[in-house]
Amino acid sequence: MTRFGQRARSRLRGVLRPEQGAGRLQLWGRHGGQAGADAEADPLQTKFAPTAPAAGPSVPDDTRVQRVLDLAMRVGEVLLSSGEGVAEATATMLRLANAGGLPTCEVDITFTSITMCCHRGMVAPPVTTMRLVRYRSLDLTRLDEVSRLVDRIERGEFNGLSGEQDGAGVDDTEALSRAAAELDQITRAKHPYPRWLATVAWAGMAASIAVLLGGNWVAAAVAFGATGAIDRIGRLLNRAGLPMFFQQITGALLATVITAALIMLNLLPAGTRPSFVVAAAITVLLSGLSVVSAVRDAIDGFFLTAAGRAGEIAMYSAGLLAGAVLGLKAALVFDVELAVAAPLPASNVSLAVRAVAAGLTAGMFALAGYTPVRYLAAAAGTGAGGWVIYTLMEQAGFEPVVSTLVAAIALGMASGFLYRRFEVPRLVITLAGITPLLPGLTAYRGFYQLAVIGVADGLVTVMVALAIGLALAGGVAFGEWLTSRIHPRTPPAPITATPGPGGQ
């Protein structure tokens, strides 16, 4: 080996030979002796010397991540099962995760399932969890309380939830336990009103719709009784586990059969329009469909969930169609015809009375959906206002679809303003406000034409009813978007800690 090779080998050995316990590499001399402290640093030593690892952000452990994700997933389940849109449910879950100290999360919702992932950089693997939404329950009080719980968490009422111990010694484990316990209390609580009151509300909604369509007090009374019976029978079928598709068939069938039986027994006085009774019952059954949420999801770009909601709406609407057609066919066997194809006569009910009926329709729906009492007046007022706008547009010569669209935009703007200004849940205003505008009578006319007159005429009328429903949903979504541009929502203000007697 040449002298140059020996020198290079000796230098390399000196670089790679560490001094035990020194915590750094020492340079060894040409003859194996240790260089002095004042020796000049060798370039090879500088190049190969290890560097201390850079300090990175603190990574939450798996247990904490799982607890925060579970809390967010359960909140998302309540929102999605109550009919909230995917965009709002996703934003709420991300806000909750961020308040819990997990700012890098992703949420994926596909109508019946929720998946949430927390990324922890390159120092720890991500944590992913999934939850299935197995039920659909309209409880607007529960929805409101969960939304308020999330706002309280964002304001910092649950000290230590973000992963830091506060001055009072409250750590994140205790804060997470408190938040989870309160969520358990909300989700397991009974409905704020007894079930019989919800039945009365559904029946009162049908009676108000009958008056809204121009019916007399007899039609309203029959609609009240028929819808109450349909609701109680539907509750029994639901307990028995009957799928909702067959429950919709049963409801529409009962509405037509009960009305036909009253005609056969000559229990309806002259001048009573039986079609108003059936249309009122069908409108009540239509009100439970998530048309607004489906269209809003499609507009927001969540097409998979929108397709799932649209499929659900199509199946339940087909159930209504099948039940109504079966009932009409059965009535024709006994020479009873529930005609509705002829133009409606001019109503003797004044515009003011019908506006009150529209408000009662919206208010009764809100009551049946277990809306908090403080929001009932807002729901009834927006419902009456939307119907008045629709009527004025129609009297001005506009088509029903255009009139419905304008009224729905006004309702969407009202719901957005009330949500941002007074924290009224948007679903309370949108779901209740559109009920007086639902195309129950148009849908029943299409069902009648399909069963009695012909398929071509019936399909055209059913498509008109579908166009009115889409105008309602699209108008509400557009109105809410306009309000979000004009009056953005102010995030909850954080709570400022007040110093104690000995604090600074």
Side-chain angles (χ1 to χ4, degrees):
M1 181 180 295
T2 63
R3 180 175 297 179
F4 176 78
Q6 291 177 354
R7 184 179 302 174
R9 181 179 179 181
S10 176
R11 286 176 179 268
L12 184 60
R13 185 184 296 116
V15 171
L16 298 178
R17 181 180 177 182
E19 178 180 342
Q20 298 297 329
R24 59 185 181 91
L25 296 181
Q26 299 289 342
L27 180 62
W28 290 77
R30 291 173 56 184
H31 304 288
Q34 184 177 359
D38 57 346
E40 182 180 359
D42 190 89
L44 288 176
Q45 182 189 16
T46 305
K47 181 176 181 180
F48 289 101
T51 57
S58 59
V59 179
D61 58 89
D62 291 349
T63 302
R64 171 175 173 75
V65 171
Q66 288 286 2
R67 297 188 67 179
V68 174
L69 290 184
D70 180 72
L71 184 65
M73 294 283 282
R74 291 168 58 197
V75 168
E77 181 183 15
V78 172
L79 297 179
L80 197 63
S81 63
S82 300
E84 190 64 86
V86 176
E88 180 66 21
T90 301
T92 302
M93 293 174 65
L94 292 177
R95 284 164 43 207
L96 180 56
N98 185 57
L102 306 180
T104 55
C105 291
E106 299 288 346
V107 177
D108 181 34
I109 297 178
T110 57
F111 184 50
T112 57
S113 66
I114 305 175
T115 304
M116 193 170 186
C117 176
C118 174
H119 300 282
R120 297 185 289 179
M122 301 298 294
V123 295
V127 178
T128 303
T129 181
M130 187 186 75
R131 195 179 189 94
L132 296 179
V133 182
R134 302 182 183 274
Y135 66 95
R136 304 282 169 178
S137 176
L138 182 62
D139 189 335
L140 297 176
T141 294
R142 181 183 299 142
L143 176 67
D144 178 59
E145 291 180 352
V146 168
S147 300
R148 291 181 179 274
L149 174 62
V150 175
D151 289 341
R152 289 170 52 203
I153 292 175
E154 279 193 293
R155 286 196 296 264
E157 292 189 19
F158 293 85
N159 294 322
L161 190 65
S162 61
E164 299 178 356
Q165 190 174 18
D166 67 354
V170 181
D171 59 11
D172 60 333
T173 302
E174 181 182 347
L176 282 170
S177 299
R178 288 169 47 212
E182 188 160 342
L183 182 60
D184 281 338
Q185 184 178 4
I186 293 173
T187 54
R188 294 179 181 178
K190 295 183 179 180
H191 295 304
Y193 314 127
R195 187 60 181 83
W196 63 264
L197 184 58
T199 299
V200 172
W202 289 121
M205 175 181 169
S208 301
I209 292 172
V211 175
L212 182 64
L213 296 175
N216 54 19
W217 67 270
V218 177
V222 174
F224 182 94
T227 303
I230 292 171
D231 180 74
R232 300 310 298 180
I233 293 174
R235 179 170 173 80
L236 295 176
L237 296 177
N238 189 52
R239 285 182 176 177
L242 185 69
M244 183 58 66
F245 173 75
F246 298 106
Q247 293 185 38
Q248 291 288 93
I249 293 178
T250 304
L253 179 62
L254 287 174
T256 52
V257 169
I258 291 175
T259 307
L262 293 176
I263 294 176
M264 286 182 59
L265 299 175
N266 295 322
L267 296 179
L268 292 181
T272 303
R273 300 275 297 187
S275 58
F276 290 161
V277 177
V278 182
I282 289 179
T283 303
V284 173
L285 295 173
L286 283 174
S287 64
L289 303 183
S290 55
V291 180
V292 175
S293 297
V295 174
R296 183 185 291 117
D297 288 342
I299 292 174
D300 292 335
F302 300 96
F303 299 109
L304 187 59
T305 305
R309 293 187 192 271
E312 181 185 63
I313 294 169
M315 284 297 298
Y316 294 167
S317 299
L320 287 178
L321 171 61
V325 170
L326 286 175
L328 290 170
K329 291 290 188 181
L332 290 175
V333 173
F334 296 95
D335 295 328
V336 177
E337 184 175 355
L338 302 176
V340 74
L344 293 177
S347 175
N348 295 324
V349 182
S350 66
L351 181 63
V353 173
R354 297 173 70 184
V356 172
L360 288 175
T361 299
M364 288 296 177
F365 176 87
L367 183 61
Y370 302 106
T371 299
V373 176
R374 60 182 177 275
Y375 300 143
L376 292 178
T382 52
W387 184 85
V388 169
I389 293 174
Y390 168 81
T391 303
L392 295 177
M393 291 289 296
E394 198 173 37
Q395 290 178 354
F398 291 94
E399 295 294 328
V401 175
V402 178
S403 303
T404 302
L405 178 63
V406 175
I409 292 175
L411 283 174
M413 295 182 66
S415 68
F417 173 76
L418 292 174
Y419 170 67
R420 287 164 175 80
R421 184 66 179 85
F422 302 102
E423 296 185 352
V424 179
R426 287 180 297 185
L427 281 182
V428 171
I429 303 302
T430 56
L431 294 182
I434 67 173
T435 49
L437 304 176
L438 289 173
L441 184 60
T442 305
Y444 175 63
R445 182 182 291 112
F447 298 162
Y448 175 82
Q449 290 172 342
L450 286 172
V452 179
I453 298 178
V455 175
D457 294 336
L459 287 179
V460 171
T461 307
V462 169
M463 292 302 295
V464 172
L466 178 61
I468 293 176
L470 292 177
L472 273 175
V476 167
F478 183 69
E480 290 180 350
W481 178 84
L482 287 177
T483 309
S484 67
R485 301 296 95 186
I486 300 172
H487 192 288
R489 181 177 183 268
T490 303
I495 295 178
T496 303
T498 303
Q504 299 294 329

